[in-house]
Amino acid sequence: MAPLKTLINGARGRMGQTLVACARENPALRVTAEVDVGDDLQTAVALCDAVVDFSHHSIVELVLARCVEHRKTLVIGTTGHTDLQMAAIRHAAQSIPIVCAPNFSVGVNTLFWLTRKAAEILGPSFDLEVVEMHHRLKKDSPSGTAKRLAEILAEARGWSYNDDTRHGRHGIVGERTNREIGVHAIRGGDVVGDHTVLFAANGERVELTHKASNRETFAQGALRAALWAHTQPAGLYDMQDVLGLR
Ligand code: NAD
């Protein structure tokens, strides 16, 4: 089979460069365009089979429009989307296959699965907190992965992410309520991405932790997602679908 003609958007960034390097080692793919600020996205999209976007969430509508116009497969790796941008992604997925995931690593997707299971097994007497740490240059907070972990906890409890999360604590905040998921973002150094989910009850505590030590794990997962999505009908998928964890 001919290699998948792949466009990397955000190609000069940390993830973009890792994606280009990983794709070079993978005979199933060929990078046909490395696009970044100022480059001609429109022409490059027309000439590829699939777009892998790790640029910035603020341009997701533009990337969606180009991919829908030319009927291309799209992998969205950016994080920090607004509710309106998420609605645009769902709408575009009616016409093209899209994989959108806050984290493409196999380990973190296992953590997602374990978090749901642990929340179900441990039940409502455990307090829920999510802690993440990333390098000092990360722009959005909390991380997309921490947000997804909190969403999974909220789903398991029948709560809502928007109403029942508490981002950091400062000052005389009063006692912790039973209905809250604490979310805490630490920034510093060159940390690629650490996430811990805490389940704390009287007398015992469970902690689930994932630590990424390089970006290759995300890049390999995103390329795998592009190859997988290109064989799928239009729809919105995430890494749980790609890995068959549903
Ligand atoms: P980065 O700042 O190093 O790279 C982003 C690149 O996008 C830069 O080269 C920038 O010039 C480019 N860019 C910005 N606006 C653009 C535009 N309009 N058109 C084309 N290119 C544009 O950031 P990064 O660390 O590589 O992360 C990029 C994104 O990927 C972030 O949203 C981050 O949260 C996300 N991320 C996701 C995963 C995952 O597994 N889903 C993993 C790591 C990072």
Side-chain angles (χ1 to χ4, degrees):
M1 210 162 61
L4 188 76
K5 287 182 271 172
T6 308
L7 182 161
I8 309 292
N9 196 34
R12 287 198 290 271
R14 284 176 289 266
M15 275 305 301
Q17 288 176 14
T18 312
L19 283 155
V20 170
C22 289
R24 259 189 219 123
E25 305 294 313
N26 189 339
L29 297 137
R30 188 159 57 85
V31 176
T32 49
E34 298 178 28
V35 176
D36 209 290
V37 174
D39 297 331
D40 180 3
L41 179 68
Q42 168 83 326
T43 306
V45 170
L47 298 173
C48 76
D49 297 322
V51 174
V52 178
D53 181 27
F54 278 77
S55 58
H56 192 265
H57 72 88
S58 59
I59 61 152
V60 74
E61 282 102 336
L62 176 73
V63 175
L64 289 166
R66 295 293 165 259
C67 289
V68 168
E69 182 184 351
H70 296 286
R71 290 283 183 271
K72 304 297 181 182
T73 299
L74 174 60
V75 172
I76 300 176
T78 51
T79 58
H81 303 110
T82 63
D83 290 346
L84 271 180
Q85 288 170 336
M86 281 312 300
I89 292 169
R90 279 192 291 274
H91 182 71
Q94 291 170 11
S95 328
I96 55 171
I98 298 178
V99 182
C100 181
N103 196 306
F104 282 93
S105 95
V106 174
V108 159
N109 281 277
T110 306
L111 176 66
F112 289 157
W113 189 91
L114 290 170
T115 296
R116 187 181 300 279
K117 275 285 158 217
E120 287 166 5
I121 294 166
L122 296 171
S125 62
F126 281 74
D127 295 328
L128 308 172
E129 301 271 319
V130 177
V131 183
E132 56 108 331
M133 179 167 187
H134 282 83
H135 54 89
R136 67 164 74 88
L137 301 173
K138 182 163 177 62
K139 297 178 184 75
D140 54 320
S141 169
S143 70
T145 303
K147 180 169 188 264
R148 184 68 200 122
L149 287 165
E151 282 171 354
I152 289 168
L153 293 170
E155 285 161 20
R157 287 276 167 96
W159 300 349
S160 127
Y161 175 86
N162 284 338
D163 298 337
D164 299 316
T165 47
R166 182 160 196 169
H167 295 270
R169 295 187 181 85
H170 174 74
I172 312 297
V173 295
E175 292 180 5
R176 192 188 194 287
T177 68
N178 286 332
R179 188 171 175 139
E180 67 186 56
I181 301 167
V183 183
H184 312 277
I186 303 169
R187 293 289 174 268
D190 61 357
V191 175
V192 172
D194 294 355
H195 293 88
T196 295
V197 185
L198 292 104
F199 302 82
N202 292 338
E204 63 177 334
R205 187 164 85 238
V206 176
E207 299 184 5
L208 301 177
T209 295
H210 176 272
K211 296 185 180 187
S213 45
N214 67 42
R215 291 183 175 79
E216 263 185 41
T217 177
F218 310 131
Q220 298 290 10
L223 298 176
R224 179 172 172 173
L227 287 163
W228 178 86
H230 201 59
T231 66
Q232 302 299 313
L236 182 56
Y237 306 99
D238 66 16
M239 205 51 193
Q240 305 277 301
D241 299 302
V242 177
L243 297 173
L245 290 175
R246 284 255 177 258

